[in-house]
Amino acid sequence: MLDSKRYCIMGADLRDIPELEEKLKKCNMNTQLPTLLIAECVLVYMTPEQSANLLKWAANSFETAMFINYEQVNMDDRFGQIMIENLRRRQCDLAGVETCKSLESQYRKSENKKEDDRGQNGLLREESSEGSSRLPRARLELYDSTCSFPISLHRTFQKERLLSNGWETASAIDMMNLYSKLPRAEVSRIESLEFLDEMELLEQLMQHYCLCWATKGGGELGLKEITY
Ligand SMILES: C[S@@+](CC[C@H](N)C(=O)[O-])C[C@H]1O[C@@H](n2cnc3c(N)ncnc32)[C@H](O)[C@@H]1O
């Protein structure tokens, strides 16, 4: 543990909430202060139940908070299977990969809604028109043909996962979609940093990672208005 008056860095098993809480208290964690929690490719190493407990604990503990999660998605296709197999071969099991796998089965498993409800909420239509106005046609076709289920189902699930564990607002977007929404000048800047002749590989990778965020309180800070 590295501890000072202004900064503390420590290790903890995120599956053990009482231990995590105790350690944070020792570092004078103040749950009244607006708090940003960031998880980068970590929840996927825990079972869905363990990550749900963590999300629930965070939502219940802080008065004003934002949770940002970056991790795999669309793991139900060939690309995902190869990633899972490669990691498994190195004795690294993604215990929570089910959460990032088939969102349709997740949807059925974790929510008691009917298929029809999804159509009625308009997400599918909203999503596809959004996507088609932003992405060049060729990229859109690649995007659609490599996904084994509609993208917005994933988004619906990711949002539900956060909302059902105590967060007040939730949003989720895959990196491919996010990248397509960046200002052209920013894309040019990024793409000029290093020569990249395999755009398809980058796109494939971005289709398999997503950014999700959730907020609790913080209306006065504009937390609820954060969008893309
Ligand atoms: C792919 S790396 C992500 C790196 C991470 N974003 C970082 O900034 O260090 C996965 C990390 O998750 C951590 N991890 C996996 N299971 C964990 C758990 N139950 N509690 C805490 N950390 C865990 C591993 O130790 C590893 O550092």
Side-chain angles (χ1 to χ4, degrees):
M1 186 200 279
L2 177 73
D3 198 7
S4 78
K5 278 192 186 133
R6 292 173 54 90
Y7 188 75
C8 173
I9 184 166
M10 64 176 186
D13 185 342
L14 296 170
R15 297 167 298 183
D16 187 342
I17 305 287
E19 187 206 47
L20 172 69
E21 200 166 43
E22 200 187 305
K23 286 185 171 182
L24 289 170
K25 276 182 185 154
K26 273 191 192 150
C27 296
N28 303 317
M29 173 183 70
N30 184 347
T31 55
Q32 308 294 305
L33 292 176
T35 302
L36 176 64
L37 300 106
I38 303 174
E40 194 260 318
C41 292
V42 172
L43 301 187
V44 70
Y45 291 97
M46 296 182 240
T47 65
E49 292 74 25
Q50 287 162 342
S51 59
N53 283 341
L54 182 70
L55 291 172
K56 217 175 290 171
W57 165 80
N60 292 335
S61 300
F62 298 95
E63 207 147 280
T64 302
M66 181 170 187
F67 195 103
I68 300 179
N69 180 34
Y70 175 83
E71 70 180 358
Q72 290 93 333
V73 75
N74 293 339
M75 294 293 277
D76 210 19
D77 64 10
R78 187 72 195 121
F79 182 97
Q81 288 313 307
I82 290 174
M83 193 197 291
I84 293 166
E85 282 162 22
N86 282 344
L87 287 167
R88 197 166 283 154
R89 229 174 279 133
R90 285 184 271 154
Q91 276 75 48
C92 181
D93 228 358
L94 297 180
V97 79
E98 207 187 314
T99 315
C100 321
K101 210 172 171 187
S102 165
L103 293 168
E104 200 162 355
S105 70
Q106 280 294 323
Y107 191 93
R108 289 203 193 102
K109 208 172 89 177
S110 5
E111 299 165 50
N112 295 321
K113 292 181 188 166
K114 293 190 181 104
E115 286 267 324
D116 292 346
D117 292 343
R118 212 164 38 217
Q120 281 161 9
N121 71 17
L123 273 170
L124 278 172
R125 279 186 298 280
E126 182 195 302
E127 276 294 291
S128 54
S129 61
E130 215 176 83
S132 54
S133 65
R134 294 285 190 153
L135 291 169
R137 179 160 295 279
R139 198 176 283 191
L140 186 64
E141 280 165 9
L142 172 77
Y143 192 44
D144 286 345
S145 65
T146 54
C147 290
S148 54
F149 46 85
I151 295 135
S152 51
L153 297 188
H154 138 64
R155 180 186 283 195
T156 306
F157 171 67
Q158 289 286 3
K159 283 170 87 165
E160 283 303 313
R161 174 200 204 187
L162 293 158
L163 294 171
S164 65
N165 285 305
W167 293 87
E168 290 164 4
T169 71
S171 307
I173 184 170
D174 64 78
M175 294 310 287
M176 182 73 186
N177 201 356
L178 190 70
Y179 197 69
S180 75
K181 289 176 188 300
L182 292 179
R184 241 4 277 169
E186 182 60 7
V187 171
S188 301
R189 188 192 67 79
I190 293 169
E191 291 182 359
S192 70
L193 291 176
E194 199 172 325
F195 177 67
L196 182 69
D197 62 348
E198 293 282 7
M199 198 57 196
E200 290 78 11
L201 289 183
L202 177 65
E203 290 180 350
Q204 212 173 21
L205 206 59
M206 288 195 294
Q207 284 159 10
H208 291 86
Y209 284 88
C210 67
L211 193 67
C212 314
W213 63 100
T215 67
K216 189 194 160 197
E220 71 289 358
L221 299 174
L223 284 193
K224 293 186 190 336
E225 280 87 60
I226 293 176
T227 187
Y228 52 87

